[in-house]
Amino acid sequence: MTTQQDHSIAARLAQVRQRIDQAAIQAGREPGSVDLLPVSKTFGPDIIREAVAAGIHRLGENKAQEIRSKFEPLADCNINWVMIGNLQSNKAKDIATMASEIQSLDRLSLAVALDRRLQQEGRSIDALVQIKTSTEPSKYGLPPDELPAFLRRVAQEMPTLRIQGLMTLAINVPNQDAIRACFRSLRELRDRTQDLGIANVNLDRLSMGMSGDFEIAIQEGSTEVRIGTAIFGGRPYGDDYYWPEKATS
Ligand SMILES: *Cc1c(COP(=O)(O)O)cnc(C)c1O
């Protein structure tokens, strides 16, 4: 007999999935139409193995060196590593060799560096274009008006990057309307850009929403939420340590 809450990774995953489905239903969408990308940044192999045991085989990380440090120790788990953080072009090789996907493709110089490394590896990866949807000065992402030209270049010249959609981080403020405006502008940008019918560009996926704001993102059309804290618990350091672009000014 126990009155304690179950804090296992499996239990938290189930709770988060339930909240995602509930939010979808409330938004008039199909439950199951929103995917979950668990974000394991700062958590080590033991905890990640718990997630794998609970059925997870796709994990988000925001640093290339962290994927590199977890890749070998977890090689037996067949994890698809998804890069979701700002990536310096000189670390493109790590992503080209170890990641199955990048959601933080935010500039042409990075696309060129990744494509070159991917060609060397004889690999291709899925890619979402990260868009700057807020006016926060420190936030990474491609400016929305540059998206069509960016997509044409990548689609024509860099077939190792299979564009599947867009990703964004909402503004880091308590104001829910401001957060919603970021998510809405990503969906509207996607819809406008789809209408251009750029060849070889798929924009079906919208990766938006995290532990603190995913219900709003789902109301605004998210197809994939990136959840760390609500599954793995709080991180030992603040987000400004692991995630400099979110440092509050
Ligand atoms: C850490 C991180 C997340 C998950 O954040 P939580 O608030 O812990 O759910 C999502 N997206 C990106 C880009 C991240 O770096």
Side-chain angles (χ1 to χ4, degrees), residues 158-177:
M158 305 169 209
T160 61
L161 295 168
R162 299 184 301 255
I163 303 286
Q164 306 286 311
L166 307 178
M167 180 271 236
T168 202
L169 284 157
I171 192 168
N172 190 18
V173 295
N175 181 335
Q176 304 231 326
D177 292 336

Side-chain angles (χ1 to χ4, degrees), residues 37 61-64 67 82-89 95 99 101-108 110-111 114 125-131 140-142 150 161 163 165-169 205 207 226 243 245:
L37 175 64
E61 290 282 347
N62 73 334
K63 287 179 185 292
I67 294 180
V82 180
M83 178 61 179
I84 59 173
N86 179 251
L87 179 63
Q88 290 170 271
S89 296
I95 298 312
E101 177 179 336
I102 179 167
Q103 300 198 348
S104 47
L105 184 64
D106 65 351
R107 60 195 190 277
L108 207 52
L110 176 61
L114 278 169
I125 59 174
D126 288 340
L128 304 186
V129 183
Q130 181 174 354
I131 302 290
Y140 297 110
L142 188 76
F150 178 87
L161 295 168
I163 303 286
L166 307 178
M167 180 271 236
T168 202
L169 284 157
R205 289 172 55 194
S207 172
R226 309 177 306 270
W243 195 6
E245 72 266 33

